[in-house]
Every structure is written in C-alpha cells, then in structure tokens.
C-alpha cells in the first residue's frame, strides 16, 4: 500500500509543484532530508493530495488558507506558485485571503496579500 501511495504521491507532487521543484528536493537521496521527502510524498501527496474527494483547485485553496493562517510563508509561496497548475485563480486567492483576515487575523492576511501580489505579478510576466 505504501508503494502505491508513493507512486501516486510522486505523480501528484510533480503535477502540482512541477518537475524542477521535485527534482531539486530529491537531488541528495541519502541526505538529511531524504526521509522527510519520502514521508511527505507518501502522506501529504500520496494520501491527502491524491484523494479525489476535492478538486486540485479546492485543495490548493485550503492549503493556501491554512498556510497563511499559520504563518508558514515559505510553504505559502511554494503553493501560491503552484496555483498555475491547480486551477486556483488570482480571484480565488483574494477570496481565501479574506477568510484568513477574518478567521486568523489581519496581519496574516496583509502579509499574504503582499506575497500574492509579488508572486502573481512574477507569474504574469
């Protein structure tokens, strides 16, 4: 079962984050982060992200909202860039940031807006 989840997870991770990101994360297969990459590939990507219960767009929006609400800005940026592959639009991002502002606080939402403006502008160039 874990091997199936690893295969599904690898495929979904590449679909969402792109080959370049995944290849970089796997560039040192015996290094410090190898076990962690395997854990996230199997659990996050092979179990949660590979589920068909939500669309990629919906899952992307939930992930972004949670990351912004918890202040995980590096991961927020990574997943914001991934919206190019998940179907979440700039309007979706604006809406989820509204929720973050109400339920997690204005400072978190304000920081998310600044990151979103920069990253979405880079993507449109």
């Amino acid at each position: 079962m874990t091997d199936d989840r690893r295969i599904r997870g690898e495929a979904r991770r590449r679909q969402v984050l792109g080959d370049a990101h995944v290849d970089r994360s796997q560039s040192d297969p015996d290094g410090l982060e190898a076990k962690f990459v395997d854990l996230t590939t199997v659990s996050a990507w092979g179990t949660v992200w590979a589920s068909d219960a939500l669309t990629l767009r919906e899952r992307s929006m939930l992930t972004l909202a949670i990351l912004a609400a918890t202040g995980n800005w590096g991961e927020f940026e990574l997943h914001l860039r991934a919206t190019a592959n998940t179907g979440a639009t700039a309007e979706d991002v604006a809406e989820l940031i509204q929720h973050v502002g109400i339920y997690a606080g204005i400072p978190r939402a304000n920081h998310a807006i600044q990151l979103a403006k920069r990253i979405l502008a880079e993507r449109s160039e």
Side-chain angles (χ1 to χ4, degrees):
M1 176 93 140
T2 299
D3 286 336
D4 290 344
R5 285 188 289 172
R6 186 174 289 106
I7 292 166
R8 283 194 325 266
E10 173 87 11
R12 184 54 55 98
R13 189 169 179 234
R14 287 183 180 280
Q15 178 186 11
V16 172
L17 300 179
D19 290 332
H21 173 81
V22 175
D23 290 345
R24 273 192 310 276
S25 76
Q26 296 174 345
S27 64
D28 187 8
D30 298 320
L32 185 62
E33 67 181 331
K35 287 183 179 181
F36 181 73
V37 169
D38 188 59
L39 172 69
T40 58
T41 299
V42 171
S43 59
W45 296 102
T47 303
V48 175
W49 276 87
S51 169
D52 292 330
L54 299 172
T55 66
L56 282 182
R57 176 183 162 269
E58 293 166 333
R59 203 168 296 283
S60 180
M61 292 171 62
L62 285 168
T63 301
L64 284 166
I66 292 166
L67 292 171
T70 56
N72 289 292
W73 302 118
E75 290 288 315
F76 180 82
E77 289 187 46
L78 174 69
H79 280 275
L80 188 55
R81 286 185 176 91
T83 60
N85 302 324
T86 65
T89 66
E91 292 80 17
D92 292 334
V93 173
E95 289 296 322
L96 74 87
I97 290 173
Q98 297 292 312
H99 272 68
V100 169
I102 296 300
Y103 291 100
I106 297 300
R108 295 281 167 109
N110 187 45
H111 192 70
I113 289 168
Q114 300 312 310
L115 292 173
K117 284 170 48 178
R118 179 176 51 82
I119 290 167
L120 295 174
E122 288 171 5
R123 188 167 78 196
S124 66
E125 293 174 354

